[in-house]
Amino acid sequence: MVTYEDGLKTCSPKERQVFETEVDMGTVHPAALEPYRVRLFVEDEIVKDAEIHVGINHRGIERIMEGLPVEKGNALTEKVCGICSNAHIWNSCRAGEGAIGIEVPERAIYIRVLMEELERLHSHMLYLAHGSEVLSHETFSMRIFYIRESVMDLLRMMGGNRVQYGASVLGGIRPRADLDAMRTQKILETMDYLEDKVGDFVNRFVRDPMVMSRITGTGQLSQKEALKREVTGPTLRATGYEFDLRREMPEYEPFEFDVITQDTCDVKANIVVRALEIFEAIKIIRQVLKDVPEGPVVNRDWEMVDSPVYKSYIEVPRGRCYHSYGVENGRMRHVIIRTPSMSNIGAMQESCIGHPIQDAQLCIVSCDPCFTCTDRAIQVIRL
């Protein structure tokens, strides 16, 4: 059936043709402040395919590190990411210590764990804040940002800076980042405050019917697809896969904590996993402060020697982080850094498909992407 109304041709529903439309997001999005571009291919506002492009702000940090003295190169790794700066310098020092054969004092290991869990706290709360912003819930966003400031104060207290703390060095930690009675008491008081305030925030968040209707069933990524794309960290655990690299790290052997998983594989699962991991991080921090041994915080009794490439993996807030390099005449060679966002972002292309275009950004940011640390890598896809 074809009719004409005011000179315009109209068709019956069976005869109507749907044309594919491409919609671009980026390179700047108000809720994701780092540069990236998403190509969405839609039909009737439903996403049929997606392509995420990074590399717009490629910095080539590994190339810059090539040939630098090891300790200077380690310090540069903090510039990879402004959120996981402690994780990168710790893992880089860890690789160097393994390559050269440096024994790290036990007290330094405990304080490294403390710094990493403090960083996990601030990163997960930043995720909840930006997620609330994408959901257009400014009250939730500002509330969790306000709570997060207490953790930023602790990081500044320990390292002297809110973003790059410079705690780890080859052989341990800087003496300025050591614990004393005042710092221990301040951290314990803040953990009590966080447990109360974050608990209240999470309860309000999951009981909000508008928020739950938006995130439940949205951005589903099956466990099979997640494993195929080598998804890691909380994004993998949100598919029900119980794996946390901290369970395999000797630094975490003295501490008890639960591996948080969810099995709904959607945006809600991603949020709940990270929210509950906040309380596990608090649990670990309290154990560190209770059991931290006495002794030196840095071992300087070692000599720089040549070494083949040594690999180091740790669990950072977004998943598995990899650093490797060799040492030649005291300088770094064959430097490689792999951050978890590389594989996680790629999987988010799949999670967008089948959802309305207005939910695409929500699906993408559900993996807590860090485009800054990804913009120094290339991805090789195995066919």
Side-chain angles (χ1 to χ4, degrees):
M1 177 185 70
V2 179
T3 62
Y4 290 86
E5 297 178 4
D6 298 328
L8 299 177
K9 180 179 178 180
T10 62
C11 303
S12 66
K14 291 184 179 179
E15 296 172 344
R16 184 178 299 126
Q17 298 184 37
V18 179
F19 295 94
E20 185 182 83
T21 304
E22 179 181 336
V23 178
D24 279 3
M25 289 197 307
T27 54
V28 177
H29 189 281
L33 305 181
E34 300 162 294
Y36 72 109
R37 178 188 175 216
V38 183
R39 299 175 67 197
L40 299 173
F41 302 94
V42 302
E43 291 180 357
D44 286 346
E45 296 190 358
I46 301 299
V47 178
K48 298 298 184 180
D49 200 1
E51 292 181 2
I52 301 177
H53 295 265
V54 297
I56 297 156
N57 192 35
H58 183 78
R59 295 175 294 158
I61 284 183
E62 285 119 323
R63 183 64 186 88
I64 298 172
M65 291 171 64
E66 193 74 23
L68 287 180
V70 174
E71 292 191 88
K72 187 173 182 179
N74 287 339
L76 183 61
T77 59
E78 282 197 304
K79 277 62 174 180
V80 171
C81 179
I83 302 173
C84 299
S85 56
N86 178 76
H88 281 290
I89 193 171
W90 177 22
N91 203 20
S92 187
C93 288
R94 204 169 179 261
E97 288 156 359
I100 301 168
I102 303 173
E103 184 176 348
V104 180
E106 191 176 7
R107 183 176 179 86
I109 292 173
Y110 271 66
I111 295 175
R112 283 180 172 183
V113 170
L114 169 68
M115 293 296 295
E116 184 57 24
E117 294 308 306
L118 287 174
E119 190 166 74
R120 195 178 314 276
L121 286 176
H122 102 74
S123 178
H124 281 358
M125 283 191 273
L126 182 69
Y127 170 82
L128 294 175
H130 279 312
S132 299
E133 192 175 12
V134 175
L135 289 165
S136 302
H137 206 308
E138 188 173 349
T139 301
F140 277 156
S141 179
M142 292 298 104
R143 180 60 181 166
I144 195 66
F145 264 131
Y146 176 77
I147 298 171
R148 174 178 171 267
E149 280 300 299
S150 61
V151 181
M152 303 308 295
D153 288 342
L154 294 181
L155 289 167
R156 181 175 59 83
M157 176 186 73
M158 292 295 296
N161 200 321
R162 284 171 54 96
V163 179
Q164 296 170 358
Y165 332 108
S168 290
V169 294
L170 278 179
I173 65 162
R174 297 182 189 276
R176 73 179 186 211
D178 196 4
L179 284 168
D180 56 24
M182 182 275 294
R183 289 179 170 182
T184 300
Q185 182 62 28
K186 177 65 175 176
I187 295 171
L188 286 173
E189 291 173 354
T190 304
M191 294 305 106
D192 293 338
Y193 168 81
L194 288 176
E195 199 164 45
D196 177 47
K197 297 300 182 182
V198 175
D200 179 66
F201 173 87
V202 172
N203 284 331
R204 290 172 181 266
F205 191 94
V206 299
R207 283 177 169 79
D208 190 299
M210 296 296 290
V211 170
M212 287 298 104
S213 65
R214 182 83 188 279
I215 64 177
T216 303
T218 302
Q220 287 191 318
L221 180 71
S222 70
Q223 186 181 109
K224 180 180 179 181
E225 188 67 27
L227 291 171
K228 174 184 175 182
R229 293 180 172 270
E230 300 184 4
V231 169
T232 182
T235 307
L236 178 60
R237 295 191 282 275
T239 68
Y241 195 84
E242 187 175 343
F243 177 77
D244 189 320
L245 193 59
R246 287 177 293 177
R247 291 288 195 192
E248 301 180 3
M249 294 174 60
E251 292 91 339
Y252 280 87
E253 285 183 3
F255 311 112
E256 295 182 2
F257 62 96
D258 296 325
V259 177
I260 304 299
T261 62
Q262 294 285 300
D263 55 12
T264 54
C265 310
D266 54 6
V267 174
K268 177 184 176 182
N270 275 281
I271 292 174
V272 171
V273 165
R274 288 168 175 83
L276 295 180
E277 284 188 356
I278 289 174
F279 301 101
E280 295 305 310
I282 292 172
K283 183 191 301 184
I284 293 172
I285 289 170
R286 284 175 172 156
Q287 292 175 69
V288 170
L289 297 177
K290 178 177 178 291
D291 300 327
V292 60
E294 297 296 330
V297 294
V298 63
N299 172 20
R300 287 296 184 184
D301 187 19
W302 51 268
E303 294 182 2
M304 187 69 69
V305 295
D306 289 355
S307 167
V309 171
Y310 189 91
K311 303 175 182 178
S312 177
Y313 295 88
I314 65 172
E315 179 82 11
V316 302
R318 289 162 181 79
R320 181 174 54 196
C321 178
Y322 167 88
H323 281 241
S324 68
Y325 58 84
V327 180
E328 182 181 324
N329 296 324
R331 296 179 180 271
M332 289 182 163
R333 298 299 182 195
H334 313 297
V335 181
I336 296 178
I337 302 171
R338 179 182 170 87
T339 60
S341 289
M342 188 75 251
S343 52
N344 290 349
I345 291 171
M348 293 303 103
Q349 296 176 151
E350 296 296 321
S351 70
C352 295
I353 297 174
H355 294 287
I357 188 173
Q358 60 267 27
D359 287 336
Q361 180 66 11
L362 182 58
C363 297
I364 293 168
V365 301
S366 68
C367 77
D368 195 14
C370 180
F371 296 102
T372 295
C373 64
T374 307
D375 268 357
R376 33 130 302 278
I378 59 173
Q379 184 178 25
V380 178
I381 300 175
R382 295 197 301 264
L383 299 178

